Amino acid sequence: GRLAPHVTMLSVTPRMPMAKRVEAIHGPTDNTNICVARTGEHVYLTNDQGVATNSIDPLTLNSLGHTAVQDSGAGMFTGAHKQAQSTFGSATFGWYGEITFTMGMKISVYRDQPTGDRNSPLTRTVIGTVEIHKPSMIHSFALTERYVIIVVGPVFVAPLKMVEYVANPEFTPLDMIEWDPTADTKFFIFDAASLTPVPPVAEMVSSAVFFNHHVNAYQGADGILRIDLIAYRDASFLKDHHGFGNLDVMKNATERAALTSMAPTFRRYMVDVSAGSGAHVPYNDMHLVDASGMVYSCEMPSVNPRRHGLPYCYGYFVGNQLGP
């Protein structure tokens, strides 16, 4: 009957007392306000913190409590976006991350399957794992008819700085984030049909990029994976307390317009899985331009759900004019 405290990217007013900040770090939060997912008859809401899922009745939007998941895992990190693809029926895919003894992160990719109606729990099968040297921000991922694709940009979370978050009310999660423009972006390609937790079938690299959202991905007749996402020039704006997400900035049209310098752009990576691990992944930036020549930034992408993981012609975005 109360609003559970949770970690916000910017500080809150009034400041949370230390006990509340400890509870927020411990998580997970019920504030699942980012994405709506469906697995069989289960319709639920998700976020980036913990593995809690709030079920709703899709007709009335009434809360139905938490979706029960058998063998859900104990990851501290997760992504807000689940993925589904017609090849796998009513199953959905996701991932969670666990801090390792070396302060790295073990990524576990899973497939959730319904066992009955919405009163029955989901069963979770971990289909792949990989360890990376630092915990990283992975807001979304991609799914094709054959592969789960986890793209990890060099935007890292320093877990030891959580102690400072608890001790200092002025310290925010933004201060835990590290952006390394000299580091590689890593591509981990997993077999989506696997029945056991196996390593990626391929691990590849490209230059540093920051992104939040995948658009779609598919494998062409030539065997090449097309991985489409919204790429930013860099992630330095994440450290700006007076940038994106600041309510004062969002309410000011002039300051909002200045954020167009981030220029989020549609980017397509071309992945040849047969090239083997360690291969470099090339890409092309494809700017959105209207008939008059006006160029637009783009974010919050979506495609026809029937074309998830398949070749597609249309995408839907929110964007700003950047100029001719």
Side-chain angles (χ1 to χ4, degrees), residues 77 95 105 132-139 152-157:
F77 298 95
W95 72 275
M105 183 168 76
I132 56 179
H133 73 292
K134 290 183 179 180
S136 298
M137 292 178 59
I138 310 171
H139 184 70
V152 183
V155 182
F156 306 113
V157 179

Side-chain angles (χ1 to χ4, degrees), residues 28-87:
T29 174
D30 279 346
N31 187 26
T32 48
N33 60 352
I34 294 179
C35 189
V36 180
R38 179 167 187 163
T39 307
E41 293 187 25
H42 294 269
V43 178
Y44 50 94
L45 316 176
T46 67
N47 73 349
D48 280 309
Q49 295 174 359
V51 294
T53 52
N54 288 335
S55 293
I56 59 170
D57 184 314
L59 297 181
T60 65
L61 302 185
N62 290 335
S63 173
L64 300 177
H66 289 297
T67 298
V69 181
Q70 296 175 350
D71 302 317
S72 61
M76 181 176 184
F77 298 95
T78 188
H81 294 271
K82 301 292 185 77
Q83 289 287 356
Q85 208 279 330
S86 56
T87 301

